[in-house]
Amino acid sequence: MVSQLATIDDAGWTGATAAAPHKHAETLEAGDVLFFPGLAFDIASSELRLFSPELVARSKNVSFDPRSGRLGGTSLDGADRTSLRDLIARFSGAASTFVRGTLPAYRDRLEVGRASFRPVEIAGRASSWRKDDTRLHIDSFPATPVRGRRILRVFTNVNPHGRARSWRIGEDFERVATRFSSLLRMPVPGVAAWLRLIRVTKARRSRYDALMLQLHDRMKADTDYQAAVPQAPIDFPPGSTWMAFTDQVSHAAMAGQYQLEQTFLVPVEAMRDERRSPLRILERLFGRSLV
Ligand SMILES: [Fe+2]
């Protein structure tokens, strides 16, 4: 019922493991988290000067787009800015190789999205309930519609002070969606085109994206649900890596500082069993096509 942690001890950054070729993809598609306790990402001693929450400007993360090479969300300039970009770019490349090696079923269908460096402590970070990632939620992007594609994320804890990144994980997606489905509304026709026109979204928001945003909000806004739903705490120690479909796994990040993350988008058609995708589950619940 609650997502599980599947531990893999023998992976390096090439992604090759002794498991059957599609075992890891099937584990992820079932809504579990792949955990690589010994997979550390090396930070050079000269890079440790970059480890400060002060390097983010107003955002909570530094972001890096591997397609354009563009760095965002930091006020650093000069040599420090170059070093920070090189660090995130190196992680982005390693994560791409890693995912292709670990998940050969998706290898030729992956779209590489943004990477991020998260230098700000999560616990006690002031924010609105909607932006509060210490509440259980599924990921959904307000500005960049995915139109049913899966959100696959690789995370590495690079905390230099020995501190874990603490998550909670909740019940499986079908249960979450069923629980909240009566509160979700189909978007009004025309709104998606309007949001695109005024550049709130970078592409047209599909019905799927609209429902996923509502689900994200309904979960976070419901304090009784947050307290009562079956859930499990997980600590990811420094020097460990993990991977999950975060559009599917109900998760909350409770504490931790200094994490690297790379996002990928995976078309549902590349899945071993697309019936397990949030898109197909919501389409079954609502009895209609959503993209
Ligand atoms: Fe999240």
Side-chain angles (χ1 to χ4, degrees):
M1 267 191 287
V2 173
S3 291
Q4 306 288 314
L5 214 57
T7 301
I8 297 128
D9 289 311
D10 63 341
W13 285 103
T14 63
T17 72
H22 299 303
K23 169 108 182 352
H24 298 320
E26 283 158 8
T27 302
L28 288 176
E29 290 181 15
D32 291 337
V33 177
L34 292 181
F35 176 46
F36 305 87
L39 190 58
F41 184 71
D42 289 335
I43 303 292
S45 57
S46 62
E47 290 170 325
L48 288 172
R49 72 179 193 282
L50 301 168
F51 282 60
S52 161
E54 255 118 69
L55 59 87
V56 292
R58 276 182 298 277
S59 46
K60 51 186 182 181
N61 306 325
V62 179
S63 69
F64 173 73
D65 185 342
R67 293 154 297 191
S68 65
R70 207 181 149 270
L71 193 70
T74 178
S75 48
L76 285 185
D77 53 18
D80 283 351
R81 186 181 184 89
T82 305
S83 297
L84 181 60
R85 197 188 54 216
D86 290 350
L87 166 63
I88 307 178
R90 194 169 81 241
F91 174 72
S92 175
S96 292
T97 302
F98 178 59
V99 162
R100 290 190 166 91
T102 313
L103 308 168
Y106 309 155
R107 184 159 42 207
D108 301 322
R109 309 291 302 275
L110 282 177
E111 190 181 316
V112 183
R114 295 264 180 94
S116 64
F117 180 49
R118 308 181 179 199
V120 181
E121 170 59 49
I122 299 166
R125 195 175 62 191
S127 67
S128 66
W129 63 266
R130 189 176 271 120
K131 288 185 178 167
D132 181 3
D133 290 336
T134 69
R135 301 177 188 219
L136 287 164
H137 66 282
I138 47 94
D139 286 349
S140 177
F141 303 144
T144 46
V146 297
R147 307 186 62 83
R149 286 173 297 171
R150 309 298 317 278
I151 301 171
L152 176 65
R153 288 183 141 167
V154 176
F155 305 91
T156 294
N157 183 351
V158 286
N159 187 289
H161 312 300
R163 291 203 38 228
R165 199 160 187 95
S166 302
W167 273 26
R168 290 183 290 143
I169 50 178
E171 59 184 358
D172 72 75
F173 185 87
E174 183 128 23
R175 267 170 205 276
V176 177
T178 303
R179 190 188 291 266
F180 288 99
S181 62
S182 66
L183 300 172
L184 307 183
R185 299 281 171 263
M186 280 297 154
V188 176
V191 168
W194 172 247
L195 291 173
R196 175 76 190 93
L197 194 69
I198 61 171
R199 298 174 188 228
V200 169
T201 58
K202 295 184 182 120
R204 203 184 174 104
R205 187 182 281 171
S206 66
R207 288 189 290 271
Y208 171 75
D209 289 286
L211 292 176
M212 289 292 277
L213 278 172
Q214 291 175 49
L215 183 56
H216 167 277
D217 288 358
R218 288 289 180 180
M219 292 172 78
K220 280 188 174 174
D222 189 335
T223 46
D224 292 338
Y225 172 76
Q226 293 287 329
V229 71
Q231 54 191 279
I234 301 179
D235 276 356
F236 300 105
S240 71
T241 295
W242 61 106
M243 188 193 309
F245 276 123
T246 56
D247 55 357
Q248 174 179 12
V249 176
S250 170
H251 63 285
M254 305 309 294
Q257 186 180 15
Y258 302 118
Q259 169 183 259
L260 286 159
E261 170 269 336
Q262 172 68 56
T263 299
F264 302 88
L265 295 177
V266 184
V268 286
E269 296 79 15
M271 293 179 63
R272 301 285 293 161
D273 182 359
E274 61 183 86
R275 290 172 303 178
R276 291 178 180 272
S277 66
L279 173 65
R280 299 298 179 229
I281 289 170
L282 289 175
E283 285 184 336
R284 275 201 302 280
L285 281 172
F286 285 89
R288 64 180 294 186
S289 149
L290 297 175
V291 291

